Amino acid sequence: MDPAARTVFHPGDEGVNAYRLLTALVVPRPIAWVSTVSAEGRGNLAPHSFFTVASGRPPVVLFSTLGRKDTVRNVEYTGEFVINFSSEAMLEMVNASSAPFEHGDDEAELLEIHMEDSATVAPQRVAESPASIECLLERIVEVGSAYVVFGTVTAITVRDDVLVDGHPAMEHLRPVSRLGGDEWGRPPDVFHLTRPSKPDDVL
Ligand SMILES: Cc1cc2nc3c(=O)[nH]c(=O)nc-3n(C[C@H](O)[C@H](O)[C@H](O)COP(=O)(O)O)c2cc1C
Protein backbone atom coordinates (compact mmCIF):
# COMPACT_ATOMS: atom_id res chain seq x y z
CA MET A 1 0.00 0.00 0.00
CA ASP A 2 1.23 3.53 -0.85
CA PRO A 3 2.18 4.97 2.57
CA ALA A 4 1.26 8.49 1.37
CA ALA A 5 -2.24 7.47 0.22
CA ARG A 6 -5.04 9.14 2.21
CA THR A 7 -8.81 8.78 2.44
CA VAL A 8 -10.66 12.00 3.24
CA PHE A 9 -13.94 11.56 5.14
CA HIS A 10 -16.42 14.44 5.03
CA PRO A 11 -18.95 14.51 7.88
CA GLY A 12 -22.41 14.48 6.38
CA ASP A 13 -21.43 12.47 3.31
CA GLU A 14 -23.34 9.26 2.75
CA GLY A 15 -21.71 6.36 4.60
CA VAL A 16 -19.45 8.57 6.72
CA ASN A 17 -19.97 8.08 10.44
CA ALA A 18 -18.10 10.99 12.00
CA TYR A 19 -18.83 9.78 15.54
CA ARG A 20 -17.20 6.40 14.87
CA LEU A 21 -14.20 8.06 13.22
CA LEU A 22 -13.73 10.61 16.00
CA THR A 23 -14.04 8.08 18.81
CA ALA A 24 -11.46 5.90 17.02
CA LEU A 25 -9.05 8.81 16.66
CA VAL A 26 -9.47 10.77 19.90
CA VAL A 27 -7.84 8.05 22.00
CA PRO A 28 -7.22 6.98 24.66
CA ARG A 29 -9.97 8.76 26.56
CA PRO A 30 -10.08 8.70 30.35
CA ILE A 31 -13.38 7.53 31.77
CA ALA A 32 -15.27 9.75 34.18
CA TRP A 33 -17.53 7.52 36.25
CA VAL A 34 -20.11 10.16 37.11
CA SER A 35 -22.29 9.86 40.21
CA THR A 36 -25.31 12.11 40.62
CA VAL A 37 -28.57 12.29 42.58
CA SER A 38 -31.98 12.65 40.97
CA ALA A 39 -34.71 15.12 41.90
CA GLU A 40 -36.30 12.27 43.86
CA GLY A 41 -33.06 11.65 45.74
CA ARG A 42 -32.08 8.45 43.90
CA GLY A 43 -28.42 7.79 43.14
CA ASN A 44 -27.18 7.42 39.55
CA LEU A 45 -23.85 6.23 38.19
CA ALA A 46 -22.71 6.23 34.54
CA PRO A 47 -19.38 6.29 32.66
CA HIS A 48 -18.51 9.17 30.33
CA SER A 49 -15.34 9.12 28.24
CA PHE A 50 -15.99 12.49 26.62
CA PHE A 51 -14.21 13.99 29.61
CA THR A 52 -11.32 16.34 30.28
CA VAL A 53 -9.98 19.24 32.34
CA ALA A 54 -11.43 22.53 31.08
CA SER A 55 -9.49 24.94 33.28
CA GLY A 56 -6.80 24.82 35.95
CA ARG A 57 -7.55 28.15 37.62
CA PRO A 58 -10.30 27.94 38.66
CA PRO A 59 -10.26 24.13 38.53
CA VAL A 60 -13.02 23.12 36.12
CA VAL A 61 -13.66 19.76 34.46
CA LEU A 62 -16.10 18.87 31.72
CA PHE A 63 -17.87 15.84 30.37
CA SER A 64 -20.31 15.51 27.52
CA THR A 65 -23.56 13.57 27.52
CA LEU A 66 -24.85 12.57 24.10
CA GLY A 67 -28.55 13.20 24.53
CA ARG A 68 -30.44 14.23 27.65
CA LYS A 69 -29.58 11.21 29.77
CA ASP A 70 -30.28 10.77 33.49
CA THR A 71 -26.83 12.09 34.42
CA VAL A 72 -27.42 15.45 32.77
CA ARG A 73 -30.99 15.72 34.03
CA ASN A 74 -29.78 15.11 37.59
CA VAL A 75 -26.98 17.67 37.29
CA GLU A 76 -29.42 20.23 35.91
CA TYR A 77 -31.70 19.66 38.90
CA THR A 78 -29.20 19.38 41.76
CA GLY A 79 -26.20 21.31 40.41
CA GLU A 80 -23.77 18.69 41.74
CA PHE A 81 -21.83 15.67 40.52
CA VAL A 82 -18.84 13.51 41.39
CA ILE A 83 -16.32 12.07 38.94
CA ASN A 84 -15.00 8.75 40.19
CA PHE A 85 -11.68 7.48 38.87
CA SER A 86 -11.99 4.35 36.67
CA SER A 87 -9.27 1.87 37.60
CA GLU A 88 -8.52 -1.44 35.91
CA ALA A 89 -9.81 -3.38 38.91
CA MET A 90 -13.27 -1.86 38.43
CA LEU A 91 -13.65 -1.98 34.67
CA GLU A 92 -16.41 -4.62 34.69
CA MET A 93 -18.41 -2.46 37.10
CA VAL A 94 -17.77 0.67 35.06
CA ASN A 95 -19.00 -1.08 31.93
CA ALA A 96 -22.00 -2.68 33.69
CA SER A 97 -23.15 0.72 34.96
CA SER A 98 -23.50 1.92 31.35
CA ALA A 99 -26.42 -0.44 30.69
CA PRO A 100 -29.65 1.41 29.79
CA PHE A 101 -31.35 1.12 33.18
CA GLU A 102 -34.74 2.72 33.75
CA HIS A 103 -34.89 6.36 34.82
CA GLY A 104 -34.79 6.31 38.62
CA ASP A 105 -32.88 3.03 38.84
CA ASP A 106 -29.81 3.31 41.07
CA GLU A 107 -27.00 1.53 39.18
CA ALA A 108 -24.77 1.32 42.23
CA GLU A 109 -27.51 -0.33 44.29
CA LEU A 110 -28.46 -2.77 41.52
CA LEU A 111 -24.84 -3.72 40.77
CA GLU A 112 -23.80 -3.75 44.46
CA ILE A 113 -21.20 -1.05 43.96
CA HIS A 114 -20.41 0.44 47.35
CA MET A 115 -20.93 4.17 47.75
CA GLU A 116 -19.80 6.44 50.57
CA ASP A 117 -20.42 10.07 51.46
CA SER A 118 -18.49 12.72 49.55
CA ALA A 119 -16.76 15.60 51.34
CA THR A 120 -18.57 18.61 49.84
CA VAL A 121 -21.53 17.51 47.67
CA ALA A 122 -24.58 15.29 48.06
CA PRO A 123 -23.83 12.69 45.35
CA GLN A 124 -21.85 9.89 46.95
CA ARG A 125 -18.52 8.65 45.63
CA VAL A 126 -17.66 5.06 44.66
CA ALA A 127 -15.95 3.54 47.70
CA GLU A 128 -13.80 1.18 45.58
CA SER A 129 -12.52 4.01 43.40
CA PRO A 130 -9.07 5.34 44.39
CA ALA A 131 -9.95 8.97 43.70
CA SER A 132 -12.91 11.24 43.15
CA ILE A 133 -13.46 14.80 41.99
CA GLU A 134 -16.42 16.63 43.52
CA CYS A 135 -18.03 19.35 41.41
CA LEU A 136 -20.61 22.12 41.47
CA LEU A 137 -22.28 22.79 38.15
CA GLU A 138 -20.63 25.73 36.42
CA ARG A 139 -22.65 25.64 33.20
CA ILE A 140 -24.14 23.30 30.62
CA VAL A 141 -23.50 24.08 26.96
CA GLU A 142 -25.74 22.44 24.38
CA VAL A 143 -23.89 21.41 21.23
CA GLY A 144 -26.27 19.79 18.77
CA SER A 145 -27.84 16.92 20.68
CA ALA A 146 -25.02 16.85 23.25
CA TYR A 147 -24.90 18.50 26.67
CA VAL A 148 -21.41 19.57 27.72
CA VAL A 149 -21.39 19.80 31.50
CA PHE A 150 -18.77 22.00 33.17
CA GLY A 151 -18.16 21.61 36.89
CA THR A 152 -16.09 23.67 39.30
CA VAL A 153 -14.07 21.35 41.49
CA THR A 154 -14.88 21.65 45.21
CA ALA A 155 -12.84 18.70 46.49
CA ILE A 156 -10.42 16.07 45.22
CA THR A 157 -10.29 12.97 47.37
CA VAL A 158 -7.43 10.49 46.87
CA ARG A 159 -6.96 7.23 48.75
CA ASP A 160 -3.68 7.36 50.65
CA ASP A 161 -2.39 4.08 49.18
CA VAL A 162 -2.24 5.61 45.67
CA LEU A 163 -0.26 8.63 46.86
CA VAL A 164 3.51 8.68 46.42
CA ASP A 165 5.17 11.67 48.09
CA GLY A 166 1.70 13.16 48.49
CA HIS A 167 0.84 12.94 44.79
CA PRO A 168 -1.45 10.49 42.90
CA ALA A 169 0.80 7.94 41.18
CA MET A 170 0.00 6.18 37.89
CA GLU A 171 1.36 2.83 39.01
CA HIS A 172 -1.27 2.72 41.75
CA LEU A 173 -4.14 4.46 39.97
CA ARG A 174 -4.01 2.03 37.00
CA PRO A 175 -6.54 3.88 34.81
CA VAL A 176 -8.51 2.16 32.07
CA SER A 177 -9.48 4.15 29.02
CA ARG A 178 -11.96 4.10 26.19
CA LEU A 179 -10.80 3.63 22.59
CA GLY A 180 -12.87 3.24 19.39
CA GLY A 181 -15.97 1.01 19.16
CA ASP A 182 -15.99 -1.38 22.09
CA GLU A 183 -12.22 -1.24 22.56
CA TRP A 184 -10.72 -0.40 25.95
CA GLY A 185 -7.18 0.51 26.93
CA ARG A 186 -5.18 -0.85 29.86
CA PRO A 187 -2.93 1.38 31.96
CA PRO A 188 -0.27 2.85 29.65
CA ASP A 189 3.51 2.53 29.77
CA VAL A 190 4.85 5.57 31.55
CA PHE A 191 8.09 7.35 30.76
CA HIS A 192 9.45 10.77 31.62
CA LEU A 193 10.38 13.48 29.16
CA THR A 194 11.39 17.00 30.11
CA ARG A 195 9.33 19.68 28.39
CA PRO A 196 11.43 22.23 26.46
CA SER A 197 11.51 25.50 28.38
CA LYS A 198 12.91 27.56 25.48
CA PRO A 199 13.33 27.08 21.70
CA ASP A 200 17.11 26.55 22.13
CA ASP A 201 16.36 23.33 24.00
CA VAL A 202 15.09 21.73 20.78
CA LEU A 203 16.93 23.53 17.98
C1 LIG B 1 -16.57 3.39 28.83
C2 LIG B 1 -17.84 4.11 28.45
C3 LIG B 1 -17.78 5.45 28.14
C4 LIG B 1 -18.95 6.15 27.82
N1 LIG B 1 -18.87 7.49 27.53
C5 LIG B 1 -19.99 8.19 27.27
C6 LIG B 1 -19.93 9.58 27.04
O1 LIG B 1 -18.85 10.20 27.04
N2 LIG B 1 -21.09 10.26 26.81
C7 LIG B 1 -22.30 9.61 26.81
O2 LIG B 1 -23.33 10.27 26.59
N3 LIG B 1 -22.39 8.29 27.02
C8 LIG B 1 -21.28 7.56 27.28
N4 LIG B 1 -21.37 6.22 27.53
C9 LIG B 1 -22.69 5.59 27.59
C10 LIG B 1 -23.41 5.92 28.92
O3 LIG B 1 -22.63 5.47 30.02
C11 LIG B 1 -24.78 5.24 28.93
O4 LIG B 1 -25.59 5.79 27.93
C12 LIG B 1 -25.48 5.32 30.28
O5 LIG B 1 -26.62 4.47 30.27
C13 LIG B 1 -25.94 6.71 30.63
O6 LIG B 1 -26.51 6.65 31.92
P1 LIG B 1 -27.55 7.69 32.49
O7 LIG B 1 -28.78 7.63 31.62
O8 LIG B 1 -27.80 7.20 33.89
O9 LIG B 1 -26.92 9.04 32.47
C14 LIG B 1 -20.20 5.48 27.81
C15 LIG B 1 -20.25 4.10 28.10
C16 LIG B 1 -19.07 3.43 28.40
C17 LIG B 1 -19.12 1.95 28.73
Side-chain angles (χ1 to χ4, degrees), residues 19 29-32 34 36 44-51 63-74 94-103 105 107 177-178 183-184:
Y19 169 82
R29 296 185 304 283
I31 302 168
V34 184
T36 54
N44 193 86
L45 186 62
H48 286 75
S49 71
F50 288 19
F51 160 57
F63 67 90
S64 179
T65 292
L66 310 178
R68 208 159 166 276
K69 299 181 183 178
D70 287 350
T71 299
V72 86
R73 283 196 258 176
N74 293 352
V94 173
N95 191 37
S97 69
S98 76
F101 291 103
E102 291 295 316
H103 173 67
D105 277 353
E107 290 82 1
S177 56
R178 188 65 152 156
E183 298 169 336
W184 292 63

Side-chain angles (χ1 to χ4, degrees), residues 83-176:
I83 291 177
N84 301 275
F85 193 92
S86 299
S87 290
E88 193 175 26
M90 299 168 314
L91 78 89
E92 299 288 349
M93 288 296 183
V94 173
N95 191 37
S97 69
S98 76
F101 291 103
E102 291 295 316
H103 173 67
D105 277 353
D106 182 337
E107 290 82 1
E109 194 179 288
L110 293 169
L111 297 167
E112 298 182 2
I113 297 167
H114 304 118
M115 306 297 289
E116 60 188 23
D117 285 345
S118 297
T120 59
V121 294
Q124 292 188 306
R125 63 182 179 230
V126 175
E128 288 93 342
S129 176
S132 63
I133 303 169
E134 301 176 18
C135 299
L136 286 182
L137 176 62
E138 200 265 346
R139 72 184 80 177
I140 296 177
V141 178
E142 287 186 44
V143 181
S145 58
Y147 295 77
V148 187
V149 179
F150 292 76
T152 303
V153 176
T154 55
I156 300 169
T157 303
V158 187
R159 222 172 49 212
D160 287 348
D161 65 350
V162 300
L163 292 172
V164 174
D165 296 333
H167 198 69
M170 278 289 283
E171 72 259 37
H172 300 309
L173 289 166
R174 300 199 57 74
V176 280

